[in-house]
Amino acid sequence: MSDEAAYQAAVNAFFKRLVAAADAVDPDVLEADATADMVTMTAVKTGEKVIVNTQRAVKQIWVAGKGAGVHFTLQADGRWFDDK
């Protein structure tokens, strides 16, 4: 499997788990919308959003919300870790 294919498989698996976890929350509290490259989670009462998206060029996942962002890199063991 190429690096790109491994990255995409890991992203797909992570997004699937993320959306399943969000869907387990009361829909009056949290909504999640997904595309191939992004998951948007919205707090229903406040409208605040957290965006989780792919960064293919650097093979990372970026998470942003409330003016802050965190970058995660896929480790050899299949886990995503903050790159700082």
Side-chain angles (χ1 to χ4, degrees), residues 48-60:
E48 290 182 44
K49 295 184 183 296
V50 171
I51 308 295
V52 182
N53 67 305
T54 61
Q55 293 296 319
R56 293 179 190 281
V58 292
K59 294 185 175 58
Q60 292 182 328

Side-chain angles (χ1 to χ4, degrees), residues 7 54-62 71-74 80:
Y7 166 76
T54 61
Q55 293 296 319
R56 293 179 190 281
V58 292
K59 294 185 175 58
Q60 292 182 328
I61 289 178
W62 290 7
H71 305 165
F72 294 89
T73 302
L74 183 62
W80 294 92

Side-chain angles (χ1 to χ4, degrees), residues 17-33 39-52:
R17 288 190 315 271
L18 181 61
V19 170
D23 285 348
V25 175
D26 184 337
D28 291 333
V29 174
L30 181 68
E31 294 179 345
D33 296 305
V39 175
T40 302
M41 295 184 291
T42 306
V44 175
K45 289 183 182 181
T46 64
E48 290 182 44
K49 295 184 183 296
V50 171
I51 308 295
V52 182

